Amino acid sequence: MWTIRARWSVIRAAIVLFQLFLLNGCVHVATAAPITAPTSIVLPSTVCDEARVVPEPSDKEDGTFVRRMVGSTVKITVFRTDGAKIGEYSGTGVVIGEKSILTARHVIRHAAAIIAQARTIEPDGRVTLDLPIIMTVVRESAVTDSAVLEPYIAGTKLPPPVQIDRCWKPDKGSAVWSFGKKSRWAWGYVNVPSVVITGASTTDIRVMRLAIACDFGDSGGPIVTPHGGLVGLITINETNEPTGGYAVPIANIEKELGLTHRAP
């Protein structure tokens, strides 16, 4: 017997699939056409953050920073129809371009429909969600457990992107922040700069181990420097350690997904 939650997930999935059906049938009268996978994904110019170990910031100092970073992340909701896994699943994504969202591949695997919702921190501290945007997958890699999503309808406006830091190197003790759907945000540091693990998709991937809070639902969330440069993507949490997790270095993701950048 299905639970009420399971039934509601199936109903929501049906609604989104019906919306996709309507879009496919009406796109010829719309002003915008569905996006197709480009030959290359061009992102904004990158930043260089040479900072390494820094003092833990105070609440007063990091308030604006946290609001800005949360505003560049999205909640990813996936409706799956792969056998016994019928239902609704969710993770996190980070905006990296005007029409590009980066997330973990295992979050969107077997998806019948994918939606993204921008996140905002309200004055009272609550994190609220914007209207859902139907997304499509344009790039994915099992080697780095990563995927690039774009809006199904061209011209859809996304939140401000996070700039990728191509100069940063993962040293033991390097200070970083994580932003995810479940843990919201957390401050920590790199524990092991490079290690190979079996990822969520049962593929061996090279990651950095973090001494930072990660939980289920944070997958696909960004790892950033104290200055806001994107340096990694959360792939899996440490099951034996509540304050530990793993992230794929952004340099590896760029290489696997073929991301390029405009000149500064």
Side-chain angles (χ1 to χ4, degrees):
M1 183 67 67
W2 284 11
T3 64
I4 294 177
R5 180 177 180 181
R7 292 177 182 175
W8 175 235
S9 295
V10 172
I11 292 172
R12 288 188 62 186
I15 292 172
V16 171
L17 289 174
F18 181 65
Q19 290 174 327
L20 283 171
F21 171 78
L22 291 179
L23 287 170
N24 281 322
C26 301
V27 78
H28 64 282
V29 299
T31 57
I35 289 177
T36 55
T39 54
S40 63
I41 298 176
V42 181
L43 303 178
S45 58
T46 57
V47 295
C48 261
D49 179 9
E50 297 295 346
R52 288 296 180 263
V53 180
V54 298
E56 181 174 357
S58 66
D59 290 341
K60 182 178 180 180
E61 293 170 338
D62 66 41
T64 301
F65 170 77
V66 169
R67 289 180 184 277
R68 175 167 60 89
M69 297 308 304
V70 169
S72 294
T73 64
V74 297
K75 175 186 177 183
I76 301 292
T77 303
V78 174
F79 301 97
R80 291 180 178 172
T81 58
D82 54 321
K85 294 185 178 180
I86 294 176
E88 177 183 333
Y89 299 81
S90 61
T92 308
V94 56
V95 182
I96 57 172
E98 292 180 357
K99 58 179 183 178
S100 301
I101 292 176
L102 185 65
T103 189
R105 177 178 180 265
H106 74 265
V107 171
I108 52 87
R109 286 185 70 199
H110 309 299
I114 305 170
I115 62 173
Q117 293 174 276
R119 307 197 308 159
T120 301
I121 301 181
E122 301 296 342
D124 61 3
R126 292 180 301 112
V127 176
T128 57
L129 300 175
D130 205 344
L131 294 175
I133 301 171
I134 299 175
M135 308 297 293
T136 184
V137 181
V138 296
R139 289 282 194 282
E140 60 179 304
S141 166
V143 177
T144 54
D145 188 27
S146 57
V148 174
L149 312 178
E150 292 187 355
Y152 185 80
I153 299 299
T156 301
K157 185 175 177 59
L158 296 178
V162 175
Q163 286 187 300
I164 292 175
D165 187 339
R166 305 183 78 182
C167 302
W168 186 88
K169 302 297 181 184
D171 295 329
K172 184 177 177 62
S174 296
V176 291
W177 283 79
S178 70
F179 293 86
K181 179 186 75 72
K182 185 69 177 290
S183 300
R184 292 169 38 112
W185 54 85
W187 183 92
Y189 59 91
V190 176
N191 194 353
V192 181
S194 182
V195 63
V196 176
I197 65 169
T198 300
S201 302
T202 67
T203 301
D204 287 347
I205 56 177
R206 183 164 294 281
V207 297
M208 47 187 174
R209 189 186 187 284
L210 309 174
I212 201 167
C214 295
D215 205 342
F216 296 102
D218 293 338
S219 294
I223 298 297
V224 301
T225 67
H227 298 281
L230 178 63
V231 295
L233 196 72
I234 300 172
T235 181
I236 193 170
N237 67 308
E238 175 60 73
T239 55
N240 297 323
E241 176 55 59
T243 58
Y246 297 96
V248 183
I250 194 65
N252 299 2
I253 293 174
E254 284 187 291
K255 180 180 179 181
E256 284 294 321
L257 296 182
L259 306 182
T260 59
H261 300 269
R262 292 194 296 265

